[in-house]
Amino acid sequence: MTTLVTGGAGFIGSHVVEALVRDGHRVRVLDSLRPDVHGPSPDLSPLRELCGVEVVVGDTTSTHDVADALVGCDRVVHLAAKVGLGVDFADTEDYVHTNATGTAVLLGAVARADVRRLVLASSMVVYGDGDYLDEAGTVVRPRPRRRVDLDAGRFDPVGVDGGALRPTLVGEDSLLDPQNVYAATKLHQEHLATAWALACGGSGIALRFHNVYGPRMPMNTPYAGVASIFRSAVERGEAPLVLEDGAQRRDLVHVRDVADAVVVALEATGSRPRGSVRAYNAGSGVVHTIGELAAALSTAAGGLAPVVTGGYRSGDVRHVTASSERAAVELGWRARIGFEEGMLELAHAPLRPPAGSAPPIRRRAG
């Protein structure tokens, strides 16, 4: 059996490939090696010594590339995507082309190749602001945060009546409310996967990743996650700059735990009912604040204390943390790496592994 992993040379992808190989899979990687992710000289050393791994340079938006990469594969893990919030709304076309069109092209090729098993990397951003409890204990969604409140340093959202709200954990059946372009494309990927499963009798699982961190994070790019932004600041000898008041709640999950979740999910697609895609949250199950993340990284690295700026970024949500109990009950998966252990590792991990030789690369002709 051979598993195609799109985006397999990336941060999460390289760990997923390692986990699949440990589990006995043969793996083919399809990755565009786009320079805004991999830099001008892509480093494939994490895949170098893995047996049974083939790397194909190609784009999921190319029908030819995807069809070529799918030959001989019977399962697909779709990780390739443009990630992060983006720099400005001008990024919209690239997000939609890469994430939505790329997924549509991939699923079309999967249907033609009669591949029936899929794991899709989704994201907790599809929930938007997440669930809150009002003063009566009822689950509600907040009204959109107003610029006038953000400028005044009032960051916590309030109810439609202006009342105070308390954030709570979000389940997979909760309201989906993407609030930026990236989030919208991730939800669209889920919808496309569901349409494929219904039309082709496929079996799919969408893993809604939380804030993934760990070795090989992409550093010093405008699309990097907050953990890598803080890690880059510490590496430069600068204080991490924390937006808002640092009390934003997130679920920080280690990349090796996420990779294990992918392996478990891929196995589960073999016994799931055909014609369906089921979503699972993939998080640590422990809530931390952005301020705690910055402080933990600075302390672990012996760096400068974080600075809380009071600034904000349009499109950010205040709190979003979700329950991963469905994955625990139905898939038997739970995150194993604790926050302190993970932060210590991240604080001392190299920003980029040294360049080295890579496994054979097959580039499409023409």
Side-chain angles (χ1 to χ4, degrees):
M1 295 186 293
T2 300
T3 301
L4 177 67
V5 181
T6 71
F11 163 45
I12 296 176
S14 62
H15 288 277
V16 167
V17 171
E18 286 181 347
L20 287 169
V21 170
R22 285 198 306 269
D23 200 53
H25 294 246
R26 291 189 59 82
V27 177
R28 181 174 298 139
V29 169
L30 175 65
D31 201 301
S32 66
L33 302 181
R34 49 185 294 168
D36 59 340
V37 175
H38 296 273
S41 301
D43 174 32
L44 300 178
S45 59
L47 308 179
R48 180 181 59 204
E49 296 180 357
L50 298 176
C51 296
V53 175
E54 178 187 12
V55 178
V56 177
V57 178
D59 200 315
T60 56
T61 64
S62 164
T63 301
H64 183 286
D65 288 3
V66 175
D68 184 42
L70 270 171
V71 173
C73 295
D74 52 10
R75 293 176 288 191
V76 173
V77 175
H78 183 32
L79 304 173
K82 183 179 175 71
V83 302
L85 184 60
V87 178
D88 55 43
F89 200 75
D91 285 339
T92 299
E93 183 177 356
D94 192 15
Y95 273 107
V96 173
H97 179 69
T98 302
N99 298 356
T101 301
T103 300
V105 170
L106 173 70
L107 292 173
V110 164
R112 289 187 291 274
D114 198 30
V115 174
R116 303 291 184 91
R117 298 170 64 177
L118 170 74
V119 172
L120 169 70
S122 186
S123 171
M124 55 83 184
V125 297
V126 300
Y127 296 116
D129 275 308
D131 287 342
Y132 290 76
L133 300 177
D134 64 15
E135 293 171 335
T138 303
V139 177
V140 298
R141 283 296 172 100
R143 74 184 186 192
R145 296 197 292 175
R146 302 181 303 176
R147 185 176 294 274
V148 63
D149 291 327
L150 296 173
D151 287 339
R154 295 188 292 269
F155 299 115
D156 278 315
V158 297
V160 293
D161 60 355
L165 299 177
R166 178 163 53 92
T168 189
L169 300 182
V170 179
E172 290 87 348
D173 294 327
S174 189
L175 175 70
L176 303 180
D177 184 27
Q179 296 187 7
N180 56 62
V181 172
Y182 170 64
T185 62
K186 296 308 289 183
L187 183 54
H188 190 42
Q189 287 182 316
E190 289 193 25
H191 289 164
L192 289 169
T194 299
W196 158 78
L198 288 169
C200 302
S203 174
I205 286 178
L207 292 175
R208 292 172 179 164
F209 297 159
H210 287 254
N211 290 82
V212 184
Y213 72 93
R216 305 178 204 149
M217 291 193 78
M219 303 295 181
N220 297 318
T221 81
Y223 306 98
V226 65
S228 67
I229 292 172
F230 291 162
R231 173 66 177 81
S232 295
V234 170
E235 179 76 7
R236 296 191 301 268
E238 301 171 1
L241 301 180
V242 180
L243 296 180
E244 300 186 15
D245 59 1
Q248 307 95 304
R249 291 161 50 102
R250 296 292 188 270
D251 184 320
L252 300 153
V253 60
H254 196 281
V255 66
R256 288 196 296 274
D257 282 329
V258 164
D260 289 342
V262 171
V263 174
V264 170
L266 191 59
E267 183 64 28
T269 59
S271 56
R272 278 196 46 75
R274 298 297 180 185
S276 66
V277 172
R278 188 155 175 80
Y280 294 88
N281 293 324
S284 70
V286 181
V287 175
H288 289 280
T289 68
I290 297 298
E292 289 170 345
L293 164 62
L297 270 175
S298 292
T299 299
L304 298 175
V307 174
V308 178
T309 68
Y312 62 89
R313 189 168 64 164
S314 178
D316 274 348
V317 298
R318 175 64 171 174
H319 306 296
V320 56
T321 53
S323 169
S324 296
E325 278 304 301
R326 177 186 284 184
V329 172
E330 297 185 9
L331 302 179
W333 173 85
R334 288 187 187 274
R336 298 175 293 103
I337 299 174
F339 178 73
E340 291 77 12
E341 176 188 352
M343 289 297 109
L344 183 62
E345 180 187 22
L346 179 61
H348 298 283
L351 296 184
R352 292 287 184 187
S357 60
I361 296 176
R362 177 158 59 88
R363 298 180 184 270
R364 71 180 182 89

